[in-house]
Amino acid sequence: MSILVDRSTRLVVQGITGREGAFHAGQMQAYGTNVVAGVTPGKGGQSALDGSVPVFDTCADAVRETGANTSVIYVPPAGAPDAILEAVGAGIRTVFCITEHIPALEMMKVVAEVDRLGARLVGPNCPGATSPGKAKVGIIPGSIHLPGRVGLVSRSGTLTYEVVQAMTDAGIGQSTCVGIGGDPIAGSSFIDILSLFRDDPETEAIVLMGEIGGDAEERAAAWKQEHLPKTPMVAFIAGRTAPPGRRMGHAGAIISGSGGTAQSKIAALEAAGIRVADSPTQIPALLREAGVRPS
Amino acid sequence: MSILVDRSTRLVVQGITGREGAFHAGQMQAYGTNVVAGVTPGKGGQSALDGSVPVFDTCADAVRETGANTSVIYVPPAGAPDAILEAVGAGIRTVFCITEHIPALEMMKVVAEVDRLGARLVGPNCPGATSPGKAKVGIIPGSIHLPGRVGLVSRSGTLTYEVVQAMTDAGIGQSTCVGIGGDPIAGSSFIDILSLFRDDPETEAIVLMGEIGGDAEERAAAWKQEHLPKTPMVAFIAGRTAPPGRRMGHAGAIISGSGGTAQSKIAALEAAGIRVADSPTQIPALLREAGVRPS
Amino acid sequence: MKLQEYHAKTLLARAGLPVPEWAVASSPGEARLQAETFLARGAGKVVIKAQVLVGGRGKAGGVKLAASGAEAERVAGAILGMDIKGIVVRRVLVAPAAEIEREIYLAAVLDRTERKILLMGSAEGGVEIETLAEERPDAIVRIHAHPHLGLLDWQARKLAFALGLGDHLKAAVAIAQGLQRVMVENDADLVEVNPLALVRETGPDGTPVLTLQCLDAKVTIDDSALSRHPGLEAMRDLDEEDPIDIEARRLGLSFIRLEGSIGCMVNGAGLAMTTMDLVKRAGGSPANFLDIGGGARSEKVANAMRLILAEPSVKAILVNIFGGIARGDEVARGLVEARSQQTRDVPMVVRIVGTNADLAAGILADAGGGIRTAQSLDEAVEMAVAIARSAEA
Amino acid sequence: MKLQEYHAKTLLARAGLPVPEWAVASSPGEARLQAETFLARGAGKVVIKAQVLVGGRGKAGGVKLAASGAEAERVAGAILGMDIKGIVVRRVLVAPAAEIEREIYLAAVLDRTERKILLMGSAEGGVEIETLAEERPDAIVRIHAHPHLGLLDWQARKLAFALGLGDHLKAAVAIAQGLQRVMVENDADLVEVNPLALVRETGPDGTPVLTLQCLDAKVTIDDSALSRHPGLEAMRDLDEEDPIDIEARRLGLSFIRLEGSIGCMVNGAGLAMTTMDLVKRAGGSPANFLDIGGGARSEKVANAMRLILAEPSVKAILVNIFGGIARGDEVARGLVEARSQQTRDVPMVVRIVGTNADLAAGILADAGGGIRTAQSLDEAVEMAVAIARSAEA
């Protein structure tokens, strides 16, 4: 097993005719993901990926014609909130939004509606998820993965790749790697993903990649202690040396006042029995110390 | 048993210090309803009904201090939609809105939120509900009732009283009488109330009081045929002689085009095995013919 | 409240929807002037449309084309003053006639069952939507707007594609969302554009272009919301209303004049309709529908009685009050007050039961002669019908 | 983006919130004139407040009262030009000094955990809310607005009662809902009024009246939404910004200048912070934070390189790219382009892995000298730190 994406994933790519959408649709298909449809309003009837994927005007058409059950969104910020609502409105239950720079208050309205419909959104401004050897959805490079039994969840994008690469180099495979994105309003939290890992018999250990700002890491630590007391877990926090009060690249990475510092997060994680690495490259060693064996 | 209101009802009256609120709060208390609180913003700390009922500034205060579980609203139309949202926001699960002349599009927003919270709204522009001998909430005169085993649901107000009086005069008691109101957007439909009666072992027969306009009676007939095939049911439709295209008093009572006529409703009800009375006073006789015995 | 086409178009145009320019004339000369202006600006013809709130004006000859100012004057002269289903035409709308490539039906309506705003469209416009709904329901596209977020972009696109407007996606989306917005901003029950048309025009470079335009518009406002839209209340066409309706509205009464001889005063619409039904069933004929509403005070009751008596054909009055939120004593006091001011002696049958019925009985008894009382509805109806019959005999 | 107090007050006043009148002066003489106007209109004193985006201006002496025009000129003269936490004061706000009966704290903020707008209030205003939140969390009232319907009337009333504003219910409700509306309409992250004050004034009949007024205001705008609010972008205070920040924003880069010697260019905020952390851990010091973002094209990379090189203290450059949405070859092309235009010869360590890393390696190899490549992040960091150290030695 694995979480979120696997061999049963039937993926529709919203924005498949754009530069990013087309490129990553190809990468996902090449990895083995079952890309069943694309959506670009006004380009219905065309096809993408050398004729292998039909393009539809609407998500509803894509779902009806191809049985798509998962969506990934590469649509510019002005259209992305609507693209999410279109996907869930068409009955898609799992949506990944890669788009960055969506206004937070737009997302606030969108997540309320996604929740009401009982669907799951990962992102926005996230790299997606990969279940190695099964399927990848998003922009995480497929080559860095190794199938295995460690689940990874991260607020960062490229930092995630770094750690996954290190794990793979050390022979430690992954069940599923999920980037939840660093935006202020996100569809899925650390805890949402940890709950999925808890229910996945294939995931035996977890890596959590956090960063400064907010209190999501502290909350995740408390949740882990209560709900996953026996699962080995290691973590990393980016931004130990970041100057306070400045926004580091995306909205998530800002320290205001005394909360949200790397120190407070590391203390909370360690208090919950989670080892915290000093460098991403230390993660494989900490996993091994926690009892994880190479795949 | 009974539905919606009974001896476990702990009622908060929103707008208790107004003319209607004060009068009917007294009537409800005199009937035996457990009126535990009133709410009028700015009058918290006062009391109503000769000092027997505390008045609070907010529903939340009323719920916390008195354990109120049901609300009835006598607030002018400009404030009534908010009063409904306040009640459900305070955790009250059953709300009756007596207020009339609330704009339909205001109610549209309200019912969506009430549904989302899983609460139940009856009304607006409804007379409320009485479970004879147990509790009455709203404005139905208490004196007309007789405890028994016939459930009644109606889109009208005073027409309901007429039928209840006729039933009581004939010795046929009621389990619960519910007026759902005739406004275009209502919290509860015929079918919502029929579902409650289905699950109430004390209700052995049902009276449905409909009127021209819309297709609620046709839908109720189809539902009854499928879900309550064995329960005796009789009906009445007001407006057989109403001229088409004119609005009769409240928004519900208008016939447009070929739909919504008394004829189409009567045909649908009879096709579902429901006897339709020519006059409200015939209802007791039809109930007896359907096997209902005097209480 | 129904709005005249020219008012409905004003609301649409205000919301940024594409409505071709128009003018309103109440005399043939005015229509000529307006037609000449449009023709001078390049219109091939103008259309002249009767402004009445009843349907079927086209079939009745209330919509005509004109190719010149003189013809416009003649046509407008024929339409103005015309009687369409009992309504005298007092105004015509004058507009450039469009070259229509295709007609589409599009409307936003309140769906009572789903409790949402429903966008209804059909690729076949210019039709009666009720007929289409019965004969070929599949030809109608239905999309419910989100109750809080409105018609979402994707919903509007879905509607546009389903109506075959994929080549005019942006315009169609804007129009669909515009109808929903006009509905919400004005508390309308209905905002209908029929036809929404693909109109052939000549572009700046001389090549033909197709644009979507709202050629007709129908808007109905939720009466319960009029108090918060004074600008819409001002659009009410009092000319087309029965003066007694205007008076009833002023008094806060729900009143409809009918043809019969028995004046009815009832509280509650359902009971009022039932009372009318029973009067008919007993062989009588109601002179009106009148719901005095919940919680009516004595003054309102007295006003209602004056409205009933204003109708000379009324031979008997039937008062049927089942007290709930209305209290019997208030009604009785109103009746006695009205009776005392009454110039015409019409027999009155009064039935008051429910809240404070005992007090009401006392008040009526003290008032003395001319008021007969009844206990049951059937009895009251029979008494009133008998009185009316003997008065007419 | 943080707004200056006078801009924040403009947004509040536009939304109909009660903000006492104010003026902005950039010279002592201007401040005197404005003070004289307020004093002439009846103010007992005026308050003169430094307009800077850093906190603690009160403690720093940036807020003072004045009772005459001359005093206002003197006070403004002292504040203008003052250095508050590294920012030079260029403008002061002048306003009538209020007679404060009670101070309240009220703010609308984005709650990331609940994913809703949170209204936070405290009956004790004028305080540091962070301090209060830590010391006495119960003294803070919290109410989440509905994500679609906004701050409902009952929520605003509940907030008002909890803040002890039951005697000013209508005003308090309007202000609470106004803050939420200002937040939504301007895509703000934070709208804070501290203090919201009960101000003593004299009514038209000479009796004292208490009114609620927003005496200070702080607004922060969501950077992701600025493109749809050109009017807010125009409120940006460029005077208070580092010119290199202005240039970085123009180039669409996320750049923060630091004190060190190793220029960093990374894709992704998390990886960029981690790279900085590792540089520090290896004994080096980063000269900047720079996230070139996802999908950066070669031109953007070249621009980023120019920003780094603008800092004379930079002795080594560390490029760390893990390709995902960004493609290694694009970055490599940008580096080569920047290198070819570069006037200053700073050694560069480049690590490009992930998407199209193979193509990148080829491009860098073809470009020849001056660019050192590394495979692992640790290795790249060590190389860069070693280079910087030898250059500084």
Side-chain angles (χ1 to χ4, degrees):
Chain A
M1 268 178 66
S2 48
I3 67 168
L4 292 167
V5 299
D6 59 21
R7 293 207 179 83
S8 72
T9 296
R10 298 179 64 79
L11 187 70
V12 52
V13 179
Q14 292 179 255
I16 197 167
T17 57
R19 181 175 180 269
E20 299 304 331
F23 176 78
H24 290 287
Q27 297 276 310
M28 291 186 282
Q29 192 184 54
Y31 191 76
T33 311
N34 190 8
V35 180
V36 298
V39 168
T40 300
K43 299 206 172 167
Q46 302 185 8
S47 68
L49 302 190
D50 299 324
S52 65
V53 174
V55 177
F56 298 93
D57 281 326
T58 68
C59 272
D61 289 347
V63 168
R64 194 184 55 244
E65 299 299 323
T66 70
N69 57 18
T70 304
S71 162
V72 63
I73 293 171
Y74 301 91
V75 167
D82 182 66
I84 297 169
L85 294 176
E86 175 169 12
V88 297
I92 289 173
R93 307 288 292 174
T94 306
V95 179
F96 294 87
C97 182
I98 310 303
T99 310
E100 58 179 343
H101 299 309
I102 300 176
L105 295 179
E106 281 296 304
M107 281 312 303
M108 175 183 78
K109 291 185 207 160
V110 169
V111 298
E113 180 64 3
V114 171
D115 282 358
R116 193 183 68 84
L117 293 173
R120 179 179 303 280
L121 169 68
V122 182
N125 189 17
C126 86
T130 304
S131 295
K134 296 170 180 165
K136 79 156 196 152
V137 171
I139 57 173
I140 306 178
S143 59
I144 62 176
H145 291 288
L146 179 72
R149 308 177 76 83
V150 176
L152 182 144
V153 59
S154 172
R155 269 166 85 182
S156 306
T158 46
L159 175 57
T160 309
Y161 316 163
E162 196 70 52
V163 179
V164 173
Q165 182 77 68
M167 287 164 66
T168 295
D169 288 348
I172 296 177
Q174 307 96 42
S175 55
T176 303
C177 300
V178 187
I180 59 173
D183 268 14
I185 303 290
S188 293
S189 66
F190 278 138
I191 292 173
D192 291 331
I193 304 301
L194 292 180
S195 312
L196 295 179
F197 280 135
R198 178 185 54 181
D199 300 336
D200 176 28
E202 201 177 84
T203 298
E204 293 179 351
I206 297 171
V207 174
L208 182 145
M209 303 294 294
E211 58 188 36
I212 52 169
D215 64 352
E217 289 78 7
E218 287 87 337
R219 301 171 73 91
W223 189 91
K224 140 65 177 162
Q225 199 164 21
E226 188 180 346
H227 296 98
L228 277 175
K230 291 183 183 162
T231 304
M233 189 161 156
V234 303
F236 177 78
I237 301 294
R240 291 178 190 222
T241 62
R246 297 297 303 262
R247 231 167 253 261
M248 291 284 158
H250 59 68
I254 183 171
I255 321 175
S256 58
S258 55
T261 62
Q263 286 66 31
S264 80
K265 291 174 189 299
I266 291 168
L269 290 162
E270 289 182 339
I274 300 163
R275 292 281 299 276
V276 181
D278 286 331
S279 152
T281 48
Q282 275 185 3
I283 299 257
L286 292 184
L287 284 169
R288 270 197 300 270
E289 285 172 31
V292 175
R293 282 169 215 296
S295 308
Chain B
M1 269 176 65
S2 48
I3 68 168
L4 291 168
V5 300
D6 59 21
R7 291 203 181 86
S8 72
T9 295
R10 297 179 64 79
L11 187 70
V12 52
V13 179
Q14 293 178 256
I16 197 167
T17 57
R19 183 175 179 268
E20 298 304 331
F23 176 79
H24 290 287
Q27 298 276 308
M28 291 187 282
Q29 192 184 55
Y31 191 77
T33 310
N34 190 7
V35 179
V36 298
V39 168
T40 299
K43 300 204 173 168
Q46 302 185 7
S47 68
L49 303 190
D50 300 324
S52 66
V53 175
V55 178
F56 298 93
D57 282 325
T58 69
C59 272
D61 288 347
V63 168
R64 194 185 53 244
E65 299 296 323
T66 70
N69 58 19
T70 304
S71 161
V72 62
I73 293 170
Y74 301 91
V75 167
D82 181 67
I84 297 169
L85 293 177
E86 177 170 10
V88 297
I92 290 172
R93 307 289 292 174
T94 306
V95 179
F96 294 87
C97 183
I98 310 304
T99 311
E100 59 179 342
H101 301 309
I102 301 176
L105 294 181
E106 280 295 305
M107 281 312 302
M108 175 182 78
K109 290 185 208 162
V110 169
V111 297
E113 180 63 4
V114 171
D115 282 0
R116 193 183 68 84
L117 294 172
R120 181 179 302 281
L121 170 67
V122 181
N125 190 15
C126 84
T130 304
S131 294
K134 296 171 180 164
K136 81 157 194 149
V137 171
I139 57 173
I140 306 178
S143 59
I144 62 178
H145 290 287
L146 179 72
R149 307 178 76 83
V150 176
L152 180 143
V153 60
S154 171
R155 267 165 87 183
S156 306
T158 47
L159 175 57
T160 308
Y161 315 164
E162 196 71 53
V163 179
V164 173
Q165 182 78 67
M167 287 165 66
T168 293
D169 289 348
I172 296 177
Q174 306 96 42
S175 55
T176 304
C177 300
V178 187
I180 59 173
D183 268 14
I185 304 290
S188 294
S189 67
F190 278 139
I191 293 174
D192 291 331
I193 304 302
L194 292 179
S195 313
L196 295 179
F197 279 135
R198 178 186 54 180
D199 300 337
D200 175 29
E202 199 177 86
T203 298
E204 291 178 352
I206 297 171
V207 175
L208 183 147
M209 304 294 294
E211 59 188 37
I212 52 169
D215 64 351
E217 290 77 7
E218 288 87 337
R219 301 172 72 91
W223 189 91
K224 138 70 173 159
Q225 199 163 20
E226 190 180 344
H227 296 98
L228 279 174
K230 293 182 180 164
T231 304
M233 187 159 156
V234 303
F236 177 77
I237 301 293
R240 291 179 190 224
T241 62
R246 296 298 304 259
R247 229 167 255 264
M248 292 283 159
H250 58 69
I254 183 172
I255 321 176
S256 57
S258 55
T261 63
Q263 286 65 33
S264 81
K265 290 175 189 301
I266 292 168
L269 289 162
E270 288 181 339
I274 300 163
R275 292 282 298 277
V276 182
D278 286 332
S279 151
T281 48
Q282 275 185 2
I283 297 259
L286 292 185
L287 283 170
R288 269 195 301 270
E289 284 172 30
V292 175
R293 285 168 211 295
S295 307
Chain C
M1 180 181 87
K2 284 185 193 174
L3 298 187
Q4 295 285 11
E5 177 187 1
Y6 68 98
H7 283 138
K9 283 185 165 173
T10 302
L11 298 186
L12 263 54
R14 250 187 226 161
L17 292 166
V19 184
E21 52 183 351
W22 75 88
V24 179
S26 46
S27 74
E30 216 182 330
R32 176 185 191 134
L33 226 65
Q34 292 161 350
E36 281 168 351
T37 307
F38 291 131
L39 294 167
R41 278 195 226 147
K45 288 186 175 181
V46 296
V47 61
I48 297 178
K49 303 163 86 176
Q51 298 296 286
V52 285
L53 293 175
V54 294
R57 64 180 172 179
K59 279 181 200 155
V63 180
K64 299 264 187 232
L65 292 173
S68 69
E71 194 184 359
E73 183 167 4
R74 190 158 37 75
V75 166
I79 294 176
L80 286 162
M82 185 183 268
D83 182 313
I84 301 182
K85 295 186 184 169
I87 302 293
V88 176
V89 179
R90 292 166 193 271
R91 273 177 293 269
V92 291
L93 179 144
V94 183
E99 271 193 70
I100 296 173
E101 172 81 14
R102 220 186 106 200
E103 296 193 330
I104 296 119
Y105 175 94
L106 190 60
V109 301
L110 189 63
D111 181 333
R112 294 166 177 221
T113 305
E114 292 294 321
R115 306 185 304 182
K116 288 175 184 164
I117 291 174
L118 173 65
L119 272 284
M120 276 204 309
S122 166
E124 302 160 43
V127 298
E128 285 280 331
I129 195 74
E130 289 88 353
T131 317
L132 194 64
E134 255 174 51
E135 290 171 5
R136 291 188 300 115
D138 288 352
I140 298 179
V141 186
R142 295 175 160 86
I143 290 183
H144 287 97
H146 189 286
H148 299 156
L149 300 173
L151 188 70
L152 303 169
D153 292 349
W154 69 266
Q155 296 184 304
R157 288 198 303 270
K158 191 174 170 183
L159 187 64
F161 285 119
L163 295 176
L165 293 174
D167 291 343
H168 303 269
L169 192 59
K170 220 175 142 183
V173 162
I175 291 169
Q177 293 185 322
L179 293 194
Q180 193 270 347
R181 226 171 42 243
V182 167
M183 180 142 173
V184 169
E185 286 171 3
N186 299 288
D187 271 305
D189 292 332
L190 168 77
V191 180
E192 186 187 76
V193 176
N194 186 21
L196 171 66
L198 270 176
V199 172
R200 267 190 306 275
E201 284 177 338
T202 307
D205 58 350
T207 58
V209 287
L210 288 178
T211 59
L212 272 173
Q213 296 188 17
C214 305
L215 296 192
D216 196 357
K218 201 181 277 180
V219 170
T220 311
I221 306 295
D222 175 1
D223 291 329
S224 290
L226 274 171
S227 60
R228 57 178 186 180
H229 298 287
L232 295 177
E233 179 61 54
M235 289 182 176
R236 189 185 289 279
D237 197 329
L238 297 176
D239 289 343
E240 250 188 60
E241 287 193 58
D242 197 330
I244 208 164
D245 288 1
I246 299 170
E247 176 67 4
R249 194 171 48 248
R250 196 183 63 79
L251 298 170
L253 295 165
S254 182
F255 183 92
I256 295 173
R257 176 145 62 169
L258 302 167
E259 310 284 285
S261 60
I262 301 175
C264 299
M265 184 194 301
V266 190
N267 66 326
L271 189 57
M273 286 191 289
T274 300
T275 305
M276 288 161 52
D277 293 348
L278 294 180
V279 164
K280 272 251 168 119
R281 190 158 159 269
S285 70
N288 63 277
F289 165 93
L290 195 165
D291 169 14
I292 59 166
R297 312 290 289 260
S298 60
E299 194 193 316
K300 198 169 184 180
V301 172
N303 287 331
M305 189 55 71
R306 275 188 288 276
L307 272 190
I308 293 176
L309 288 170
E311 195 62 46
S313 62
V314 170
K315 304 294 181 217
I317 293 170
L318 170 54
V319 178
N320 181 22
I321 302 296
F322 210 125
I325 205 159
R327 300 180 211 152
D329 53 333
E330 289 276 1
V331 175
R333 262 192 294 276
L335 291 175
V336 172
E337 186 196 324
R339 197 81 192 161
S340 69
Q341 302 161 355
Q342 192 171 317
T343 49
R344 196 154 72 86
D345 188 28
V346 178
M348 193 189 293
V349 179
V350 180
R351 173 193 182 238
I352 298 181
V353 287
T355 307
N356 293 0
D358 43 349
L359 298 177
I363 292 164
L364 293 176
D366 291 350
I371 299 181
R372 270 158 268 195
T373 58
Q375 260 311 301
S376 88
L377 174 54
D378 289 342
E379 184 192 350
V381 167
E382 270 162 37
M383 285 166 68
V385 170
I387 292 167
R389 195 170 291 155
S390 67
E392 288 170 271
Chain D
M1 182 182 84
K2 285 186 192 173
L3 297 187
Q4 295 285 11
E5 177 188 1
Y6 68 99
H7 284 137
K9 283 185 165 172
T10 303
L11 298 187
L12 263 55
R14 252 188 225 160
L17 291 166
V19 184
E21 53 183 349
W22 74 89
V24 179
S26 47
S27 74
E30 217 182 330
R32 177 186 191 133
L33 225 66
Q34 291 160 351
E36 281 168 352
T37 310
F38 291 131
L39 293 167
R41 279 195 225 145
K45 286 185 177 181
V46 295
V47 62
I48 297 178
K49 302 162 87 178
Q51 297 295 287
V52 285
L53 294 174
V54 294
R57 63 181 172 177
K59 280 181 199 154
V63 179
K64 300 261 187 233
L65 292 174
S68 68
E71 194 184 1
E73 182 168 4
R74 191 158 37 77
V75 166
I79 294 177
L80 287 162
M82 186 183 266
D83 181 310
I84 301 183
K85 294 185 185 170
I87 302 293
V88 175
V89 179
R90 290 163 194 273
R91 272 177 293 270
V92 292
L93 179 144
V94 182
E99 270 193 70
I100 296 173
E101 172 82 13
R102 219 186 106 200
E103 296 194 330
I104 297 120
Y105 175 93
L106 191 59
V109 300
L110 188 63
D111 181 333
R112 295 169 175 218
T113 305
E114 292 293 321
R115 305 184 306 180
K116 288 176 184 164
I117 292 174
L118 172 65
L119 272 284
M120 275 203 309
S122 166
E124 305 160 40
V127 297
E128 284 282 330
I129 195 74
E130 288 87 355
T131 315
L132 194 65
E134 255 174 52
E135 291 170 3
R136 291 188 298 112
D138 288 355
I140 299 180
V141 185
R142 292 164 211 268
I143 290 183
H144 287 97
H146 190 286
H148 299 156
L149 300 173
L151 188 69
L152 303 168
D153 292 350
W154 70 266
Q155 296 184 304
R157 287 198 303 270
K158 191 174 170 185
L159 188 64
F161 285 120
L163 295 176
L165 293 174
D167 290 342
H168 303 269
L169 192 58
K170 220 175 144 184
V173 163
I175 291 169
Q177 292 184 324
L179 293 195
Q180 194 270 347
R181 227 171 43 244
V182 166
M183 182 142 171
V184 169
E185 286 171 5
N186 298 287
D187 272 305
D189 292 332
L190 167 76
V191 180
E192 184 187 78
V193 176
N194 187 22
L196 171 66
L198 270 177
V199 173
R200 270 190 303 275
E201 284 177 337
T202 307
D205 58 351
T207 59
V209 286
L210 288 178
T211 59
L212 272 173
Q213 297 189 16
C214 305
L215 296 193
D216 196 356
K218 201 180 278 181
V219 170
T220 310
I221 306 296
D222 176 359
D223 292 327
S224 290
L226 275 170
S227 59
R228 57 178 186 179
H229 298 287
L232 295 178
E233 180 60 55
M235 289 182 175
R236 188 184 290 279
D237 197 328
L238 296 176
D239 289 343
E240 253 189 58
E241 288 194 56
D242 196 329
I244 207 162
D245 288 3
I246 299 170
E247 175 67 4
R249 193 170 50 246
R250 196 183 64 77
L251 297 170
L253 294 166
S254 182
F255 182 93
I256 295 173
R257 176 146 59 169
L258 301 168
E259 309 285 289
S261 60
I262 300 176
C264 299
M265 183 194 301
V266 190
N267 66 327
L271 189 56
M273 286 191 289
T274 300
T275 305
M276 288 161 53
D277 294 347
L278 294 181
V279 164
K280 272 250 169 126
R281 191 162 159 266
S285 70
N288 64 278
F289 166 93
L290 194 163
D291 169 13
I292 59 167
R297 311 290 289 260
S298 60
E299 194 192 318
K300 199 170 183 181
V301 172
N303 287 332
M305 188 55 70
R306 272 189 289 277
L307 273 190
I308 293 176
L309 287 171
E311 195 62 48
S313 63
V314 170
K315 304 295 180 217
I317 295 171
L318 170 54
V319 177
N320 181 25
I321 302 295
F322 211 125
I325 204 157
R327 297 179 215 153
D329 53 333
E330 289 275 3
V331 175
R333 260 192 294 277
L335 291 176
V336 171
E337 186 195 324
R339 198 81 192 159
S340 68
Q341 300 162 356
Q342 192 172 320
T343 50
R344 199 152 72 87
D345 186 30
V346 179
M348 193 188 292
V349 179
V350 180
R351 174 195 181 234
I352 299 181
V353 288
T355 309
N356 293 0
D358 44 350
L359 298 177
I363 292 164
L364 293 176
D366 291 351
I371 300 181
R372 269 157 269 197
T373 59
Q375 261 309 305
S376 87
L377 174 53
D378 291 341
E379 184 193 348
V381 166
E382 271 162 37
M383 283 168 67
V385 170
I387 291 167
R389 195 170 291 158
S390 66
E392 288 171 270

